[in-house]
Amino acid sequence: MSTKLKIGILGGGGILAAHAPGYTRLGDLCEVVVAESDASRHSEIRRLLGEDVAIVGDYTEILADKDVDAVDILLPHYLHAPAAIAAAEAGKHVLTEKVMARNVEECDRMIKACEKAGVSLTVCHDRRYDSDWQALKRVVDSGELGDILFWKLEHNQNVVFPERSWVRSKEMLGGGAIMSCLTHQIDSLRWYEGEVDQVTCMTKTEPDRMEGESIGAVLAKMRSGALALLSINWYTQSHHAPDGLWYEFNHVTGTKGEAYFMSGKGTYVKIHDGSSKQFHYDMKGEGSFVKVDVKKELTGHQRCIEQWVKSLRGEQAEILTDGIDSRKTVEVAEAAYRAEETKAVVSLPLQPTR
């Protein structure tokens, strides 16, 4: 393709700061136009994307533009499905920020609309495109850890939204912290280990912060037989403290070794007998882990956008998070909520409630 792609960005909120560098570095391949109804955000949009970027007040203007090839949806969760469906009906390829939608019913309507229109549907689950998270994937796929027994995945933040924020609404968000951000860990677990067989869940809600849960713990049994514990804590300040915990942490235990990723530290591996075909060891201390060499040139968002643009241009691309796959992540989160409500273990795939 010799001509530039024209991409419409629907929404100019905070997550634009993560997406914008993905487009500015690809300025020779694509141009963007942004839809944002809040004029107070326009100056920040121009700072991120350039003073000359076109901004419109309503995303329907972008969908009506025949020159726009695709859209990147950065809207609140409750608008993901209607915006994606409208974009598909307008013949636009779709990229949407995670989480794909609030529930599997919305996901199914998005998939159906894109398939009917013959356009692609991609979800920006950026962890799958991050160098360190990919390094942990390579360690697991190498087989050197043996049979995988257990996963522990954590997400820690201190999240306080303004009183009128849509994120405070359980309906608009699609739940609480689990659907909003533990879906990072759910999606990565599925990528690393395969599909989930059963889940149970407990949550803690703090009404002064949001209607949905601020804290949640999900226990899962994988189809492989491995167990997984996933937790999210939106009430901790520790991940910013000098001697605090971590933002995100993934740890995997196998019969022959173990490995982990920790935010701000990197990806590490240990083979229990000290011998490895892939990793060099200086076993001066019993229990030593070795850091995996990672070239971190792009963020996960940047790499996802790069691969998506390649796919739109008809070039070879590595799309790791299409709509059909990402629907399964929403399904696990929805199953966790169902387990919390019924105080039971819920099996997947989910069965209709009616």
Side-chain angles (χ1 to χ4, degrees):
M1 179 181 290
S2 58
T3 58
K4 282 188 177 183
L5 291 167
K6 189 172 183 180
I7 295 173
I9 299 177
L10 312 188
I15 195 63
L16 178 62
H19 284 239
Y23 295 108
T24 55
R25 65 179 295 271
L26 300 176
D28 58 332
L29 301 179
C30 59
E31 62 175 303
V32 299
V33 54
V34 182
E36 174 52 62
S37 59
D38 185 350
S40 69
R41 295 178 179 172
H42 290 185
S43 61
E44 176 65 6
I45 293 170
R46 292 190 175 94
R47 186 188 72 81
L48 292 169
L49 291 168
E51 289 297 324
D52 296 331
V53 65
I55 304 175
V56 300
D58 191 319
Y59 75 72
T60 59
E61 295 182 53
I62 289 178
L63 300 187
D65 186 344
K66 294 182 179 180
D67 293 330
V68 172
D69 302 286
V71 299
D72 183 1
I73 299 173
L74 308 185
L75 298 167
H77 294 179
Y78 69 98
L79 295 176
H80 283 193
I85 292 168
E89 291 174 347
K92 318 299 185 187
H93 297 282
V94 175
L95 173 67
T96 185
E97 174 61 23
K98 69 85 199 160
V99 61
M100 181 175 173
R102 297 177 296 176
N103 51 60
V104 293
E105 187 272 334
E106 289 186 340
C107 292
D108 287 340
R109 290 195 287 116
M110 292 165 69
I111 292 168
K112 183 178 180 180
C114 289
E115 288 180 343
K116 182 178 179 180
V119 298
S120 62
L121 174 59
T122 307
V123 181
C124 192
H125 270 294
D126 62 289
R127 275 32 170 199
R128 292 202 193 193
Y129 300 89
D130 180 90
S131 300
D132 269 307
W133 294 61
Q134 290 183 341
L136 185 57
K137 168 75 169 170
R138 290 194 297 274
V139 171
V140 174
D141 289 351
S142 74
E144 290 205 44
L145 301 185
D147 295 331
I148 302 302
L149 304 173
F150 181 65
W151 284 90
K152 186 175 184 180
L153 303 98
E154 298 182 6
H155 189 111
N156 297 308
Q157 291 189 84
N158 184 40
V159 179
V160 183
F161 291 99
E163 288 189 9
R164 295 184 179 182
S165 170
W166 65 271
V167 183
R168 284 180 173 253
S169 166
K170 187 175 181 179
E171 180 181 359
M172 291 182 178
L173 189 66
I178 290 174
M179 185 63 80
S180 180
C181 276
L182 194 64
T183 41
H184 279 308
Q185 281 62 43
I186 293 170
D187 189 71
S188 300
L189 174 64
R190 293 184 45 252
W191 182 45
Y192 290 141
E193 185 63 25
E195 300 305 333
V196 174
D197 186 48
Q198 295 177 312
V199 299
T200 192
C201 174
M202 290 186 180
T203 63
K204 176 66 174 173
T205 300
E206 290 298 313
D208 63 317
R209 294 211 168 186
M210 56 194 296
E211 293 175 0
E213 75 284 349
S214 294
I215 298 171
V218 178
L219 179 63
K221 185 170 186 179
M222 312 301 292
R223 289 182 189 172
S224 66
L227 294 182
L229 179 62
L230 306 94
S231 66
I232 187 162
N233 182 356
W234 270 6
Y235 216 95
T236 176
Q237 299 180 20
S238 65
H239 82 284
H240 280 316
D243 298 314
L245 297 174
W246 41 82
Y247 169 43
E248 291 178 301
F249 175 71
N250 304 331
H251 178 238
V252 55
T253 302
T255 55
K256 296 181 179 180
E258 54 194 292
Y260 71 87
F261 160 76
M262 184 184 293
S263 296
K265 186 174 180 181
T267 302
Y268 289 75
V269 63
K270 180 187 184 304
I271 308 303
H272 291 160
D273 64 8
S275 61
S276 170
K277 297 177 181 178
Q278 296 191 43
F279 311 106
H280 175 70
Y281 283 85
D282 180 6
M283 301 297 287
K284 293 181 179 179
E286 184 177 354
S288 297
F289 279 75
V290 173
K291 189 172 186 178
V292 179
D293 184 29
V294 172
K295 293 182 179 179
K296 198 170 180 67
E297 299 173 345
L298 300 175
T299 67
H301 285 95
Q302 289 170 351
R303 183 171 282 111
C304 178
I305 289 168
E306 176 187 68
Q307 296 302 314
W308 182 58
V309 169
K310 282 185 177 181
S311 72
L312 296 179
R313 291 173 55 83
E315 301 172 6
Q316 185 175 355
E318 189 177 23
I319 300 296
L320 303 173
T321 50
D322 64 36
I324 292 175
D325 186 88
S326 296
R327 175 199 184 276
K328 297 177 183 178
T329 292
V330 175
E331 184 177 34
V332 175
E334 193 170 341
Y337 286 141
R338 193 177 295 186
E340 163 78 354
E341 291 170 1
T342 60
K343 295 180 171 57
V345 175
V346 172
S347 298
L348 285 98
L350 283 180
Q351 300 302 314
T353 55
R354 298 177 185 177

